[in-house]
Amino acid sequence: MAHLPFSTMEDNTVFLLFTAMLKNFYQYLLSKVSAIFPDIDMKSRLKRFVFAFIVVPAK
């Protein structure tokens, strides 16, 4: 990340903390889902995960 998205340090701190919490939650969710579904592994990106569990079943 070359440049932070906000101009104030307080906003950037909240942004970085929130993205870190989301990444930890995603890794936890991915570990649980990858144990059940063999197509999803621990290196899957969010785009593949969303495609497999939201886009395809919605169609």
Side-chain angles (χ1 to χ4, degrees), residues 25-42 44 48-49 52-53:
F25 176 72
Y26 177 67
Q27 290 295 323
Y28 171 77
L29 184 65
L30 201 58
S31 68
K32 297 297 182 185
V33 170
S34 66
I36 298 170
F37 297 100
D39 291 343
I40 304 294
D41 59 345
M42 285 300 293
S44 292
R48 179 179 168 92
F49 184 81
F53 290 101

Side-chain angles (χ1 to χ4, degrees), residues 1-44:
M1 195 180 296
H3 300 284
L4 293 173
F6 300 105
S7 60
T8 64
M9 188 61 162
E10 294 85 14
D11 293 339
N12 287 328
T13 303
V14 171
F15 172 77
L16 291 172
L17 287 172
F18 190 66
T19 54
M21 288 189 306
L22 283 176
K23 180 171 173 55
N24 288 338
F25 176 72
Y26 177 67
Q27 290 295 323
Y28 171 77
L29 184 65
L30 201 58
S31 68
K32 297 297 182 185
V33 170
S34 66
I36 298 170
F37 297 100
D39 291 343
I40 304 294
D41 59 345
M42 285 300 293
K43 294 181 182 178
S44 292

Side-chain angles (χ1 to χ4, degrees), residues 50-59:
V50 167
F51 182 76
F53 290 101
I54 296 173
V55 174
V56 173
K59 288 184 179 180

